[in-house]
Amino acid sequence: MTVKNMSTPMSAAEGGANSSAATPDRGQFLRRVLQGNAAFSTLSGMLFVLDSQPVANFLGFTNPAAATYVLWLGISLLGWALFAYWVSTRPTLSRTAVFSVLAGDLLWVAGSIILLIRGWLPFSTAGYWAVAIVADMVALFAILQFVGWRRSSKG
């Protein structure tokens, strides 16, 4: 059976007009995880945009152009955060949009693992650990989003 949208309208507390307080929103957990993902991405993006040179130095990059890449990564993260938050606030959670966030997170984790294993970038020891820890956080969001996605699509 193909389902295009998950039947998870917003609860009354979240602004949904057609929900009763006694009916829990099956997608509330997923909405909160998506919003947590958006908050983490916003904070990371703001750090990268506002302090791109110190972040590049911390990661172990000595090339002056590295700060520009960090800056663009930060801008991209802010766009990603906006998308994840937008998905979480839709009256009905779109399976495709939720899966897009989940897939994007998995791609981030896979890319981080590849960069760390292949050694293509000259990470400092602290930078290596920072990339690994962020990848772990993103993987946790992906797992929680998958759990919420499965919960929301049952019914």
Side-chain angles (χ1 to χ4, degrees), residues 51-119:
D51 282 335
S52 55
Q53 187 62 59
V55 170
N57 292 340
F58 175 79
L59 291 172
F61 305 136
T62 57
N63 184 341
T68 303
Y69 294 121
V70 171
L71 174 68
W72 281 107
L73 179 59
I75 292 168
S76 300
L77 281 170
L78 292 173
W80 180 255
L82 184 63
F83 175 66
Y85 184 75
W86 178 81
V87 169
S88 77
T89 61
R90 300 299 83 207
T92 301
L93 289 170
S94 162
R95 288 180 58 87
T96 303
V98 170
F99 187 77
S100 296
V101 175
L102 175 61
D105 286 345
L106 292 175
L107 287 172
W108 177 280
V109 172
S112 297
I113 291 169
I114 290 168
L115 288 176
L116 293 174
I117 290 174
R118 297 295 297 172

